[in-house]
């Protein structure tokens, strides 16, 4: 089996650099938004973080391709780094600490590119999660001070905690009724949003989560972390992996039921 230890170590180095850049801007922003949020300083922070990551990747992995939210795809080949410099930009601009840098390495394989390394770093929360294919998922301050993650064993929907981002996306896709039925069937719902529900599924503190509209860079790192923690990550149609443009993640035991509610014709 391939060894991704060096790639994982590099992803941590990239996350360290991004954390320093984003935290610097996070504290510097004037957070009193009087009327409408001015996104200018945020797009600067997004771009600065992605530029940093791209620059370091160019030096450390010149043959690998890079796909990022701000600057698109660069390069070709069987290995591709996928970067979301700030996932949770609206939180970032308002001073809410729930945002993260998402870094994933994907490799060409059966069914297209699949994530083999993922790091999710949320410096304002003081949390970081990561995984490499075949080696499990972890959370902690660094590679050396880490706790191994595993999903929950909740097997009844009525005992499950369900996390989501917002209602409007489900409504816009004609899936709101099923979504609301699901919220009535579970023990607890919370709208944590963005990367966080997936990390909580991996940690076992939330049992199921789903989002109706996402990009690859929103999902690649989350997918490998959930999977390596023993969970299931698919599109709403049940297709495994992060390529569906939407996502459902669970401890595995509740996955079919989750999809059943969110797919009118599932």
């Amino acid at each position: 089996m391939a060894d991704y230890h060096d790639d994982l170590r590099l992803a941590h180095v990239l996350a360290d650099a991004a954390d320093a850049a984003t935290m610097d801007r996070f504290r510097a922003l004037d957070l009193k938004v009087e009327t409408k949020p001015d996104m200018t300083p945020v797009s600067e922070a997004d771009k600065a973080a992605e530029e940093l990551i791209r620059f370091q990747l160019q030096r450390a992995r010149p043959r690998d391709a890079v796909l990022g939210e701000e600057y698109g795809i660069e390069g070709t080949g069987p290995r591709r780094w996928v970067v979301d410099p700030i996932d949770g930009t609206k939180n970032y601009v308002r001073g809410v600490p729930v945002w993260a840098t998402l870094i994933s390495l994907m490799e060409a394989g059966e069914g297209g590119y699949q994530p083999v390394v993922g790091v999710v770093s949320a410096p304002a929360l003081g949390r970081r999660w990561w995984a490499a294919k075949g080696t499990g998922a972890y959370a902690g301050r660094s590679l050396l001070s880490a706790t191994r993650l595993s999903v929950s064993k909740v097997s009844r929907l009525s005992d499950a905690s369900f996390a989501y981002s917002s209602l409007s996306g489900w409504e816009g896709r004609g899936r709101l009724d099923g979504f609301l039925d699901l919220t009535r069937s579970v023990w607890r719902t919370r709208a944590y949003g963005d990367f966080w529900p997936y990390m909580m599924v991996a940690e076992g503190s939330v049992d199921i989560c789903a989002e109706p509209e996402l990009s690859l860079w929103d999902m690649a790192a989350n997918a490998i972390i959930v999977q390596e923690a023993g969970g299931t990550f698919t599109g709403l149609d049940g297709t495994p992996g992060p390529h569906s443009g939407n996502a459902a993640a669970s401890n595995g035991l509740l996955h079919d039921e989750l999809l059943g509610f969110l797919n009118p014709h599932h």
Side-chain angles (χ1 to χ4, degrees), residues 206-238:
V206 161
D207 310 299
I208 52 176
C209 69
E211 283 181 281
E213 186 180 19
L214 293 163
S215 299
L216 180 61
W217 47 77
D218 297 315
M219 296 185 282
N222 295 340
I224 179 89
I225 293 171
V226 168
Q227 287 161 350
E228 286 293 324
T232 302
F233 189 106
T234 71
L236 295 176
D237 62 358

Side-chain angles (χ1 to χ4, degrees), residues 125-202:
L125 290 175
R127 302 292 312 276
R128 185 179 290 184
W129 302 262
W130 63 90
K133 188 177 180 181
T135 60
Y138 298 84
R141 294 283 175 171
S142 68
L143 279 165
L144 298 174
S145 62
T147 308
R148 185 151 187 180
L149 304 179
S150 64
V151 295
S152 75
K153 294 183 169 59
V154 172
S155 59
R156 289 167 48 139
L157 208 57
S158 56
D159 297 328
S161 180
F162 169 47
Y164 62 96
S165 279
S166 71
L167 295 177
S168 55
W170 299 102
E171 187 168 33
R173 277 155 200 80
R175 298 180 192 248
L176 185 60
D177 289 347
F179 175 90
L180 292 174
D181 286 343
L182 174 59
T183 66
R184 295 179 191 112
S185 305
V186 297
W187 167 63
R188 187 169 193 256
T189 60
R190 282 292 180 272
Y192 299 108
D194 301 304
F195 66 93
W196 210 8
Y198 303 97
M199 298 305 98
M200 287 194 265
V201 167

Side-chain angles (χ1 to χ4, degrees), residues 66-88:
V66 185
L67 169 67
E69 178 170 19
E70 300 298 327
Y71 295 102
I73 182 91
E74 210 176 336
T76 56
R79 288 163 49 96
R80 178 182 294 177
W81 294 84
V82 179
V83 179
D84 187 348
I86 300 178
D87 181 49

Side-chain angles (χ1 to χ4, degrees), residues 2-12 14 53 57 60-67 76-84 102-109 112-120 130-133 216-217 219-225 227-228 242-243:
D3 178 5
Y4 296 106
H5 187 72
D6 286 348
D7 294 312
L8 182 59
R9 239 185 10 224
L10 174 59
H12 275 272
L14 299 173
I53 292 169
L57 279 172
R61 296 286 190 275
R63 289 199 297 275
D64 293 353
V66 185
L67 169 67
T76 56
R79 288 163 49 96
R80 178 182 294 177
W81 294 84
V82 179
V83 179
D84 187 348
L102 278 48
I103 300 167
S104 177
L105 172 63
M106 303 186 76
E107 281 194 345
Y113 285 85
Q114 297 301 333
V116 293
V117 168
V119 172
V120 172
W130 63 90
K133 188 177 180 181
L216 180 61
W217 47 77
M219 296 185 282
N222 295 340
I224 179 89
I225 293 171
Q227 287 161 350
E228 286 293 324
H243 292 286

